[in-house]
Amino acid sequence: ASRKGLLFGLSGVMAFGLTLPATRLAVASLDPVFVGLGRAAVAAFPAALLLFLTRQRLPTRDQWKRLGIVVLGVIIGFPISIGWAMQRVDASHGGVVLGLLPLATACAAFLRAGETPSRRFWLCSLAGSATVSPTQPAKLSKPRSVIPTPPAWPSYTKTVGSPVGKCRLVER
């Protein structure tokens, strides 16, 4: 069972690794908003079908509110920001920014939800982030859009939109 989980995890990581190069290719000829929302629409169809076929209950009113916040970051903000960023930087640079995302998510969980990971976790996270952050200097290419989008926006929107623990901002 654990080997099967590892294989699923590895396949997910490998598929996600193709996100930036594929997005970079797509935004060369398509609008980044179309590409970003298209990703969400393509993913929504099999997800909705699976929920329907397994006869899952609809979310409660409180869950709908939380899902709305997640949608803003994960379904809208992250993919659109990735599209805008891939118009300006190489996919390898974007990969470095996304490589810092787990640490950013851990920081958000610590600051917003009061979670306290172990010192070992923080040391490993910082060590991992330190190995990828200096590898790619920011090389901004000529922007093709009038909306300025820093390459770090995808990390920010993904972190803010992630449902980390019991988010105080969401529960109020």
Side-chain angles (χ1 to χ4, degrees):
S2 66
R3 176 171 269 167
K4 186 176 180 181
L6 285 173
L7 289 175
F8 279 135
L10 178 62
S11 65
V13 168
M14 289 175 62
F16 190 72
L18 296 174
T19 295
L20 297 179
T23 302
R24 182 135 171 101
L25 287 172
V27 297
S29 57
L30 299 170
D31 181 68
V33 174
F34 177 78
V35 172
L37 295 179
R39 286 173 47 155
V42 168
F45 179 73
L49 184 63
L50 183 64
L51 290 172
F52 176 76
L53 292 175
T54 58
R55 299 175 192 242
Q56 299 299 312
R57 289 184 292 175
L58 288 175
T60 64
R61 184 182 192 114
D62 185 52
Q63 289 171 334
W64 277 115
K65 290 177 189 176
R66 293 174 187 221
L67 283 171
I69 291 174
V70 171
V71 163
L72 289 175
V74 177
I75 306 299
I76 297 172
F78 182 75
I80 292 173
S81 295
I82 287 288
W84 284 333
M86 288 300 97
Q87 286 183 320
R88 291 166 177 74
V89 297
D90 296 332
S92 60
H93 178 72
V96 170
V97 173
L98 287 183
L100 299 173
L101 189 58
L103 181 60
T105 303
C107 289
F110 173 74
L111 294 172
R112 293 179 62 201
E115 294 183 11
T116 53
S118 68
R119 287 179 194 237
R120 184 175 169 192
F121 169 84
W122 287 114
L123 287 173
C124 290
S125 295
L126 290 171
S129 296
T131 61
V132 297
S133 57
T135 61
Q136 281 284 326
K139 298 178 196 171
L140 296 177
S141 59
K142 183 179 176 186
R144 290 182 258 167
S145 173
V146 295
I147 302 172
T149 307
W153 273 16
S155 293
Y156 175 76
T157 59
K158 183 80 171 186
T159 301
V160 169
S162 294
V164 287
K166 294 183 178 179
C167 183
R168 290 184 196 105
L169 220 147
V170 176
E171 288 184 13
R172 289 188 181 155

